[in-house]
Amino acid sequence: MLSQPLLRLASAVSCRRTKPLLCIALLAYVASVWDNLVNMRPIQENGELRIESRLDKIIEPLREKIRDLEKSFTQKYSPVKFLSEKDCKRILVTGGMGFVGSYLMDKLMMDGHKVTVVDNFFMGRKRNMEHWVSHENFELINHDMLEQLSIEVDQIYHLASPASPPSYMYNPFKTLKTNTVGTLNMLGLAKQVGARLFLASTSEVCRDPEVHPQTEDYWGRVNPIGPCPRFAEMCYACMKQEGVAVRVARIFNTFGPRMHMNDGWVVSNFILQALQGEPLTVYRSGSQTRAFRYVSDLVNRLVALTNSNVSSPVKLGNPEEHTILEFAQLIKNPVGSGSKIQFLSEKAKLMPGWEPMVLREEGLNKAIFYFRKELEYHANNQYIPKPKPARMKTERASHN
């Protein structure tokens, strides 16, 4: 009988002890979970930092592209002078994407004028004008000068023609046609809208001069059927007959950035050869002199001439002349090149890399053998040809 009361007492005591124990256990569990949560937070934060760093590496190039796009939309132009409406001219520049034309475009734009450039990109390059893209005073027209152009302008700078020897000799007929028809089209436009026309003429009219430097009254010695076209006469005929205001400049050797590396001119050839460690090719003795002018100096003179009252042709060169050999040294020294100077003859210049392969005696022996065989053949056929005297072409009687 005593066992049952004892069991009940023991169970009651155990129940009373279990509740505190359960509470203690629950508190211990909550404390351990909280401790784990606290310890896991740095791990989680480190993981998030790693993820963020990886995302930054991926996103950074995209951010740079966005910044570049923002810069392109908010492009900073060169300082442009403000002109009133009456002083601001509407100016057309043909061949404005070329070497000289692009600098002329820069000059006119910074002077505050409204500039329209016409080019078919045969020699012109788009990067020469990318710093003016979207400017309110600038406009570009992709146009061939063989086609007529209708546009309201106050001045026309006509420079549209291949200028370097390799370019205009690549397709000489197209060059002549572009100069002829293009100049006629611009003269017609100048007459139609009452604009003043500037023509960039060639200094080849002074080819092989007997006077150094050439003064304005020196007419030069030139090959009348040479490769360089001359169209100033056409402009002056239009000025006399139609009253078009014309300005003409004979442009001599000009150099500066934006030149084509393969344009065949002295400066670009020397610089390219010196940078590549190749011999600097000087034709003849190198004592022949040239007047070299930097492109910005030339452009300033072009604008001044166009706005002046001087209507006769003006030679734009440099009063200080250098020999070709001196200029080769001037280029070689700052480049620091070890290139040697190689002297070539004019014949090597006309036909580079060519030399006779058949000796004179060998060629004569082959010709003699051929004629001997021909005589034997005709003798067997009982016909012996005799040399005929040269026939003189008689003049036709003129009919008056």
Side-chain angles (χ1 to χ4, degrees):
M1 297 295 295
L2 289 173
S3 59
Q4 291 182 352
L6 288 174
L7 288 174
R8 290 175 183 174
L9 178 62
S11 62
V13 172
S14 63
C15 289
R16 290 173 186 175
R17 290 180 179 177
T18 301
K19 290 180 180 180
L21 289 174
L22 288 174
C23 291
I24 293 171
L26 181 61
L27 291 174
Y29 175 75
V30 170
S32 64
V33 169
W34 178 258
D35 187 55
N36 289 336
L37 289 174
V38 172
N39 292 332
M40 287 180 64
R41 182 173 294 176
I43 298 173
Q44 185 177 1
E45 290 178 353
N46 291 334
E48 290 176 354
L49 290 174
R50 291 176 183 175
I51 294 173
E52 287 180 1
S53 63
R54 291 179 182 177
L55 289 175
D56 287 338
K57 291 180 180 179
I58 297 173
I59 295 174
E60 187 58 31
L62 298 176
R63 289 174 178 168
E64 291 180 0
K65 290 183 179 180
I66 292 172
R67 284 193 290 265
D68 293 338
L69 288 173
E70 290 176 348
K71 289 180 181 179
S72 65
F73 285 115
T74 58
Q75 185 173 0
K76 294 182 179 179
Y77 302 103
S78 300
V80 175
K81 183 180 179 181
F82 174 78
L83 294 178
S84 62
E85 195 67 27
K86 67 174 184 176
D87 296 328
C88 181
K89 295 184 179 68
R90 300 164 299 174
I91 300 177
L92 174 66
V93 181
T94 68
M97 293 295 97
F99 168 47
V100 175
S102 63
Y103 280 94
L104 176 60
M105 169 191 63
D106 290 345
K107 164 71 174 170
L108 297 173
M109 284 290 296
M110 288 187 288
D111 284 349
H113 300 293
K114 296 179 180 179
V115 180
T116 300
V117 171
V118 171
D119 207 299
N120 67 346
F121 298 100
F122 174 67
M123 288 295 295
R125 291 179 285 190
K126 291 183 179 180
R127 64 182 180 182
N128 288 346
M129 61 85 185
E130 61 184 6
H131 50 288
W132 293 115
V133 171
S134 300
H135 194 282
E136 59 181 357
N137 287 354
F138 176 77
E139 183 179 2
L140 173 64
I141 301 176
N142 192 336
H143 182 81
D144 195 313
M145 295 310 300
L146 297 179
E147 304 294 332
Q148 291 186 349
L149 181 66
S150 181
I151 184 174
E152 290 289 336
V153 291
D154 303 308
Q155 289 182 348
I156 301 172
Y157 287 84
H158 185 37
L159 293 84
S161 173
S164 65
S167 301
Y168 62 65
M169 292 305 295
Y170 171 75
N171 190 342
F173 183 75
K174 177 66 182 295
T175 301
L176 288 168
K177 191 175 179 182
T178 299
N179 279 278
T180 305
V181 179
T183 303
L184 282 172
N185 286 338
M186 290 301 100
L187 286 169
L189 177 62
K191 177 187 175 183
Q192 177 184 349
V193 301
R196 175 174 294 186
L197 174 72
F198 166 83
L199 175 69
S201 183
T202 174
S203 61
E204 290 297 320
V205 296
C206 302
R207 188 71 178 265
D208 298 325
E210 298 171 329
V211 177
H212 293 277
Q214 294 84 50
T215 58
E216 300 298 339
D217 56 352
Y218 179 71
W219 292 3
R221 278 194 321 142
V222 68
N223 180 3
I225 58 172
C228 297
R230 292 162 290 277
F231 298 95
E233 296 87 348
M234 184 189 304
C235 293
Y236 283 112
C238 186
M239 182 179 69
K240 292 177 181 179
Q241 181 174 329
E242 305 295 340
V244 176
V246 171
R247 303 290 183 266
V248 176
R250 314 284 194 192
I251 299 177
F252 285 75
N253 296 277
T254 306
F255 67 95
R258 303 181 193 171
M259 293 181 73
H260 277 274
M261 290 192 296
N262 58 345
D263 62 8
W265 294 117
V266 175
V267 177
S268 53
N269 282 352
F270 282 171
I271 293 176
L272 195 59
Q273 289 169 342
L275 290 174
Q276 294 179 337
E278 299 176 354
L280 275 63
T281 53
V282 174
Y283 298 103
R284 292 182 288 181
S285 63
S287 60
Q288 60 271 30
T289 61
R290 295 290 185 272
F292 296 95
R293 176 184 289 272
Y294 191 72
V295 61
S296 60
D297 294 332
L298 171 69
V299 165
N300 291 334
R301 288 290 303 277
L302 295 185
V303 175
L305 172 62
T306 304
N307 294 316
S308 71
N309 295 322
V310 179
S311 58
S312 57
V314 176
K315 298 180 179 69
L316 297 184
N318 192 331
E320 181 182 352
E321 293 198 351
H322 293 276
T323 66
I324 297 296
L325 193 57
E326 289 174 349
F327 216 78
Q329 292 291 350
L330 287 173
I331 293 175
K332 179 182 173 183
N333 294 336
V335 171
S337 172
S339 300
K340 297 181 179 180
I341 295 178
Q342 181 181 7
F343 295 91
L344 301 176
S345 65
E346 282 295 326
K347 291 183 179 179
K349 178 182 178 181
L350 294 174
M351 301 186 68
W354 182 87
E355 60 181 9
M357 302 299 294
V358 180
L359 298 176
R360 180 178 55 192
E361 292 78 8
E362 181 184 354
L364 286 174
N365 289 334
K366 289 182 178 181
I368 292 170
F369 178 79
Y370 167 78
F371 278 99
R372 181 177 288 118
K373 287 293 184 181
E374 284 293 297
L375 287 174
E376 290 176 359
Y377 173 79
H378 288 297
N380 293 334
N381 289 277
Q382 299 173 349
Y383 170 75
I384 300 177
K386 294 182 179 180
K388 295 181 179 181
R391 297 178 61 184
M392 300 297 293
K393 187 175 181 180
T394 58
E395 293 186 4
R396 295 183 179 179
S398 59
H399 300 281
N400 297 326

